[in-house]
């Protein structure tokens, strides 16, 4: 493998990346191992401009190793942020980066990865569109001795996934359901029991069925809501309680809006039923759901009767909706920390080492359990936007105010 020949040169960049990551996590106060190993907010912003001179200079000794980074889409700002942060971190460590977005098109992503392999990539970092569609690319990567890091979404059905960097996806689902329960008043933000007793009507949405994360989010959420279904504090009047009924292919906002409209028409319109809350696993879906709810005459704000809607990713448009009292909550997954873990993993492989995993049990891709590094996430409510997102430098106060990323 070409990479092995320049291991010595890379030792330095490995140390620098790890040193840069020793400062404790931004935007999280949970103090867990995963967070402690993550970088400060420098990674997202200063890395773009080269950071401190010493680091940049020394890391440039990393030689001519190149890393292919395959991201799913630019229609969601989180993936743009991921791509930017991974690229910046890798470049700071001295690598050449080939960053590609695939417009959520599976053949495009396959071709991009084929091309990266043909062009001699030394490592691949891949956030798959369809987690089951990349087996032949991964076989080719393995034949060429190229390590593959699965980014955020697990690549399934292949022996040739070497490492997985992600968040604790089951816990993300727990947090989504928890935020729904808080919005309904059944729990307080500190986890204690709330004043409300219900019963409440809720509807359930899930993510894309070809994304391995979607079932983890769903399982975490449903396990959390199940006791409330069992004692009938919560009911799903549409009766659509299966993952397959709730799933939204490719996480499309329009599809979620249409499904919400259909549920309202079929189940609520012309009845006395009141919809109190909607479990949504991603901010893009949440905004489609909110549009459908508002178009049907609900709200427009929670105070004015809009149902409680959860989310994920702390996308700026949704953070503004939370600040405006429209969307109730989201889940913050700090893409800067995830990007930094991907860089650490790539650096380890290219130095001939195994990256450090903190989970070697959870993520079975159908062929093997992939060693993983899991990060922690936080629930964002109106009350902690400042602390989690602004103070950590993830979004500026102006961006929260405008709802637009600058
Ligand atoms: C998932 C990811 C979520 C969200 C979603 C839609 O795989 O874990 O954070 O971004 O895709 O893009």
């Amino acid at each position: 493998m070409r990479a092995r020949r320049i291991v010595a040169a890379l030792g330095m960049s490995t140390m620098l990346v790890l040193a840069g990551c020793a400062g404790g996590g931004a935007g999280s106060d949970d103090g867990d191992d995963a967070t402690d190993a993550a970088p400060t907010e420098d990674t997202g912003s200063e890395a773009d401009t080269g950071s401190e001179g010493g680091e940049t200079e020394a890391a440039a000794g990393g030689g001519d190793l190149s890393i292919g980074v395959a991201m799913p889409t630019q229609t969601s700002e989180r993936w743009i942020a991921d791509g930017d942060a991974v690229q910046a971190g890798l470049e700071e460590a001295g690598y050449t980066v080939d960053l590609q977005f695939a417009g959520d098109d599976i053949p495009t992503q396959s071709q991009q990865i084929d091309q990266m392999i043909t062009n001699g990539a030394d490592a691949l970092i891949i956030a798959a569109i369809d987690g089951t569609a990349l087996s032949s690319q991964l076989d080719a990567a393995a034949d060429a001795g190229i390590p593959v890091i699965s980014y955020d979404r697990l690549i399934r059905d292949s022996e040739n996934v070497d490492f997985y960097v992600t968040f604790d996806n089951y816990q993300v689902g727990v947090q989504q359901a928890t935020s729904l329960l808080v919005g309904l008043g059944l729990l307080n933000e500190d986890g204690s029991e709330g004043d409300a007793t219900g019963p409440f009507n809720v509807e359930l949405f899930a993510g894309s069925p070809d994304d391995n994360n979607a079932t983890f989010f769903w399982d975490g959420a449903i396990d959390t809501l199940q006791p409330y279904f069992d004692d009938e504090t919560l009911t799903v009047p549409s009766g659509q309680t299966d993952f397959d009924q709730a799933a939204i292919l490719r996480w499309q906002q329009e599809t979620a809006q249409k499904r919400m409209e259909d549920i309202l028409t079929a189940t609520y319109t012309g009845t006395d039923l009141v919809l109190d809350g909607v479990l949504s696993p991603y901010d893009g879906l949440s905004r489609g759901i909110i549009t459908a709810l508002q178009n049907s005459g609900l709200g427009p704000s929670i105070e004015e009767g809009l149902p409680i809607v959860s989310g994920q990713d702390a996308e700026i448009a949704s953070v503004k909706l939370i600040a405006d009292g429209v969307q109730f909550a989201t889940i913050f997954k700090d893409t800067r920390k995830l990007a930094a873990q991907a860089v650490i993993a790539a650096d380890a492989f290219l130095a001939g080492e195994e990256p450090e995993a903190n989970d070697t049990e959870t993520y079975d891709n159908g062929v093997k359990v992939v060693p993983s590094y899991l990060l922690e996430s936080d629930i964002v409510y109106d009350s902690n936007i400042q602390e989690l997102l602004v103070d950590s430098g993830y979004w500026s106060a102006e961006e929260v105010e405008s709802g637009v990323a600058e």
Side-chain angles (χ1 to χ4, degrees):
M1 172 164 120
R2 182 151 69 96
R4 304 263 187 241
R5 292 202 297 269
I6 354 185
V7 162
L10 272 170
M12 178 61 83
S13 72
T14 308
M15 279 162 49
L16 287 167
V17 170
L18 292 172
C21 291
S28 176
D29 54 5
D30 39 37
D32 69 300
D33 288 344
T35 308
D36 288 346
T40 63
E41 56 266 37
D42 294 349
T43 313
S45 46
E46 289 181 18
D48 291 339
T49 52
S51 185
E52 291 152 41
E55 283 193 18
T56 311
E57 235 171 74
D64 62 353
L65 291 179
S66 86
I67 300 185
V69 181
M71 290 284 154
T73 179
Q74 280 171 304
T75 55
S76 156
E77 75 206 0
R78 83 145 279 191
W79 295 112
I80 300 173
D82 284 279
D84 287 349
V86 173
Q87 179 169 33
L90 290 172
E91 286 178 353
E92 194 173 4
Y95 299 106
T96 303
V97 179
D98 180 6
L99 169 64
Q100 300 290 337
F101 294 88
D104 257 341
D105 184 58
I106 298 163
T108 301
Q109 185 165 60
S110 302
Q111 277 164 17
Q112 288 172 339
I113 296 169
D114 283 335
Q115 195 62 48
M116 289 170 184
I117 295 168
T118 308
N119 290 348
D122 296 286
L124 293 172
I125 296 173
I126 301 172
I129 298 166
D130 179 335
T132 64
L134 294 173
S135 297
S136 72
Q137 280 70 32
L138 264 50
D139 289 349
D143 289 347
I146 302 170
V148 173
I149 297 160
S150 199
Y151 185 91
D152 191 76
R153 301 172 172 176
L154 184 62
I155 302 173
R156 294 192 54 86
D157 303 341
S158 173
E159 175 69 30
N160 302 315
V161 187
D162 297 292
F163 201 71
Y164 182 33
V165 293
T166 190
F167 290 82
D168 184 338
N169 293 302
Y170 179 88
Q171 190 56 30
V172 169
V174 170
Q175 291 175 328
Q176 288 170 341
T178 300
S179 70
L180 180 63
L181 295 170
V182 170
L184 294 171
L186 293 165
L187 293 178
N188 297 315
E189 285 182 21
D190 65 6
S192 61
E193 208 171 303
D195 292 335
T197 51
F200 294 114
N201 294 321
V202 297
E203 296 296 338
L204 310 173
F205 282 71
S208 190
D210 56 6
D211 181 342
N212 193 64
N213 287 349
T215 43
F216 276 82
F217 301 150
W218 176 261
D219 290 346
I222 297 302
D223 288 352
T224 306
L225 298 178
Q226 195 60 51
Y228 298 85
F229 292 138
D230 290 344
D231 70 9
E232 293 179 358
T233 304
L234 297 181
T235 306
V236 182
S238 71
Q240 298 187 20
T241 55
D242 292 341
F243 175 85
D244 290 343
Q245 295 171 307
I248 301 294
L249 185 64
R250 294 286 117 70
W251 304 91
Q252 287 289 317
Q253 178 165 339
E254 304 74 29
T255 314
Q257 180 176 336
K258 175 77 172 50
R259 177 167 180 259
M260 190 72 251
E261 286 164 359
D262 290 347
I263 289 175
L264 289 171
T265 308
T267 306
Y268 293 85
T269 311
T271 75
D272 292 338
L273 284 174
V274 174
L275 176 59
D276 299 297
V278 182
L279 175 76
S280 167
Y282 161 56
D283 287 343
L285 304 190
S286 311
R287 294 195 295 276
I289 291 162
I290 287 169
T291 302
L293 297 172
Q294 291 176 332
N295 287 348
S296 80
L298 295 168
S301 68
I302 295 169
E303 211 172 35
E304 294 156 317
L306 190 74
I308 300 301
V309 181
S310 64
Q312 175 177 205
D313 281 351
E315 294 202 326
I316 192 62
S318 286
V319 174
K320 177 175 168 51
L321 289 177
I322 295 169
D324 290 347
V326 176
Q327 184 172 321
F328 183 71
T330 187
I331 308 302
F332 175 41
K333 305 197 305 191
D334 194 330
T335 51
R336 298 168 299 188
K337 294 180 184 174
L338 186 60
Q341 284 304 327
V343 174
I344 290 171
D347 226 18
F349 280 124
L350 293 176
E353 295 158 7
E354 289 296 317
E356 182 198 332
N358 64 5
D359 184 301
T360 51
E361 289 173 6
T362 308
Y363 288 98
D364 186 334
N365 78 347
V367 177
K368 70 173 194 184
V369 176
V370 182
S372 308
Y373 198 97
L374 309 188
L375 292 159
E376 295 214 342
S377 51
D378 291 291
I379 305 177
V380 179
Y381 301 108
D382 184 28
S383 60
N384 61 11
I385 289 176
Q386 177 72 32
E387 179 198 340
L388 288 178
L389 302 177
V390 179
D391 293 351
S392 76
Y394 199 75
W395 297 120
S396 69
E398 292 71 32
E399 288 171 316
V400 174
E401 175 76 25
S402 68
V404 178
E406 277 156 20

